[in-house]
Amino acid sequence: MEPTAAPPVEYAFNLYVTGATPNSTRAVRNIKEICERYLPGRYALRIIDLYQDPELAQQQQVVAAPTLVRVRPLPQRRLVGDLSNRAAVLAALGLPAAPAAT
């Protein structure tokens, strides 16, 4: 019996934003581009507007926005900012610099 390949790692992110501010808008655009390029079909992205749910910020200890939280795989990681430094975002999230071959 041949060994089977491990299933690809699934990622889950929460992005905390504050309405449609320029930084929040850039963060949404940047993380969507990163996910589509580096994790196509292997991620879940939840965008949470702190203006609409301020209690969630308190519960999750979010003190700045935009904040990206990698929920899965563990360990949890947090990034603050508009996520425009792609190399730094990839390194912080533990993603390879080159997208996976399709």
Side-chain angles (χ1 to χ4, degrees), residues 85-99:
N85 185 338
R86 184 165 291 192
V89 172
L90 294 174
L93 296 177
L95 297 174

Side-chain angles (χ1 to χ4, degrees), residues 14-101:
N14 289 342
L15 178 61
Y16 297 90
V17 298
T18 49
T21 62
N23 276 345
S24 292
T25 303
R26 275 193 301 275
V28 170
R29 184 181 62 238
N30 287 331
I31 193 61
K32 283 183 175 178
E33 287 175 5
I34 289 170
C35 287
E36 285 301 315
R37 181 165 183 184
Y38 295 89
L39 302 168
R42 299 189 303 131
Y43 73 94
L45 175 62
R46 185 173 158 210
I47 297 171
I48 301 154
D49 186 345
L50 296 175
Y51 288 150
Q52 295 182 10
D53 199 350
E55 293 173 2
L56 191 57
Q58 196 170 30
Q59 290 172 358
Q60 299 299 316
Q61 300 178 339
V62 174
V63 295
T67 295
L68 178 70
V69 178
R70 186 185 78 182
V71 178
R72 203 177 55 226
L74 294 173
Q76 192 179 86
R77 292 190 179 163
R78 291 174 179 243
L79 297 169
V80 176
D82 67 4
L83 311 173
S84 59
N85 185 338
R86 184 165 291 192
V89 172
L90 294 174
L93 296 177
L95 297 174

